[in-house]
Amino acid sequence: MTAVAETEAEAGPEERNGSARPFSAFERLVAWRYLKPRRKEAAVSIVTMISLAGVTLGVAALIIVMAVMNGFRADLLDRILGLNGHMVISPIDSALTDYDAVSARVAGVPGVTMVMPIVEGQALATGNVGAGSGVLVRGVRGEDFVKLDAVSKNIKEGSIEAYLTGDGVAIGARMAVDLGLVPGDLIKIISPEGDITPFGTTPRVKSYPVRAVFEMGMSEYDRSIIFMPLEEAQLYFNKEGEAQVIEVFVDDPDNVDSYRSKIEEAAERPLFLTDWRQRNQSFFSALIIERNAMFMILSIVVLVASLNIVASLIMMVKEKARGVAILRTMGATQASVMRIFIMAGIGVGFVGTAAGFVLGLLVCWNIKPIQRFMNWMSGQDVWDPTIRFLSEIPAKMNPYETLAVILLSLSLSFLAALLPAWRAAKLDPVEALRYE
């Protein structure tokens, strides 16, 4: 018994009479029979499997890349906002000598979680090895340093208690490696803004014991930032009794504009207020543009895989011409034949999309073990944190973007199936059987 005869025998009387409903069990059964690999149709099966693998890899690649880029942006945002204030108060007309009073008033604004007066400046740091490196010295109060979870909860050597004694500094882990320093060693800090003498300004040079070594996971910060007690920083940078800026942390950084007027009112002095979006606008805009560009580029991979579905279905139409002709003579309509081949094409796309989603999910869930395995295989760090800012590959799947990838793949599979399905529906049964 032929495949068509078997299918006809398995169909109910309603389907055999040609009055089957759209996408009925009869049409699904025929579509499944056409997709099943047969020894006589090895070429069709191979092309179908290639199409399936192409859709799987295309969907997985798109999901993985978008998740990594989302994770990269989220981790950078967490680290940048974890160290820097969501809003920065800069003085106008007069120095911030009343920073304690201003900080207390701003801290009372609903939604403000922390207020941190800062004195900071550029300097050159030297240690036991190396020629030294440029650093950013940030003077903060001890209680504010403890509240900076991105730093205080990532102390790798030394301790917060030792730092809070007020006679030392905290440095990043990569700076400690570059300068060959461990807790207890002295780090020499050289500032060009030193003492004013009759012979001009002389650089200020002072050594401080290293009390704590932190590792935020962002190489730029771990290599270039030194935390110093506020009072000591004021003396070092000739800012006695004043702060340069006041950084404000809020509980909803994405809605930072809603705090602006309240903070300006609470400050009770002329000030210039900037938020984190203004200070990092070009950086995060570049990340968004890059993410959108990668989505468009990798969508082409899914499109190419969908074109393979066109090729496989066209070959299937040629191979199944006799069977289609028999179905037509038994009462199957053109619309029914068209739906059969559309379901065959969508079936390949659906299975490939589902497999790609599962593969992408597994890779995103195990991105760190995969990174460690690749490091072991290559014998070097494939994710160089000095170039990519972060120490590890991040991955954060966005459900809306993942859904968009799935819908894109299924839509392209549907469109790819239309032309071959239309050709199968237009097949003349008399001509097909005559040439058989």
Side-chain angles (χ1 to χ4, degrees), residues 191-204 236 238:
S191 172
E193 300 177 3
D195 299 322
I196 300 176
T197 68
F199 302 99
T201 302
T202 60
R204 175 164 292 177
Y236 186 79
N238 295 323

Side-chain angles (χ1 to χ4, degrees), residues 88-93 96 102 106 260 263-274:
V88 176
I89 298 174
S90 302
I92 297 178
D93 298 334
L96 269 173
V102 173
V106 173
R260 183 179 295 270
I263 291 175
E264 290 175 343
E265 183 180 349
E268 298 181 4
R269 60 161 294 152
L271 56 86
F272 180 69
L273 203 58
T274 57

Side-chain angles (χ1 to χ4, degrees), residues 81 86 111-113 249-259 276:
L81 296 186
H86 305 151
V112 173
T113 57
F249 293 78
V250 297
D251 54 10
D252 186 8
D254 291 327
N255 195 27
V256 72
D257 287 335
S258 63
Y259 304 94
W276 66 271

Side-chain angles (χ1 to χ4, degrees), residues 37 125 127 163 264 275 292 400:
Y163 171 80
E264 290 175 343
D275 60 55
N292 294 337
Y400 298 105

Side-chain angles (χ1 to χ4, degrees), residues 298-315:
L298 290 175
S299 296
I300 298 176
V301 177
V302 182
L303 177 61
V304 172
S306 301
L307 294 179
N308 287 333
I309 295 178
V310 177
S312 65
L313 287 181
I314 289 176
M315 293 181 65

Side-chain angles (χ1 to χ4, degrees), residues 23-77:
F23 302 104
S24 63
F26 165 71
E27 294 176 358
R28 296 196 300 271
L29 181 61
V30 175
W32 166 243
R33 287 297 186 102
Y34 283 176
L35 282 175
K36 286 177 65 176
R38 294 179 180 274
R39 192 172 300 174
K40 298 179 182 179
E41 303 161 355
V44 177
S45 299
I46 291 173
V47 175
T48 302
M49 294 303 294
I50 291 174
S51 304
L52 182 65
V55 174
T56 299
L57 294 177
V59 171
L62 194 50
I63 289 175
I64 293 167
V65 170
M66 297 307 295
V68 169
M69 297 197 71
N70 284 333
F72 188 74
R73 181 183 182 277
D75 275 17
L76 279 177
L77 190 60

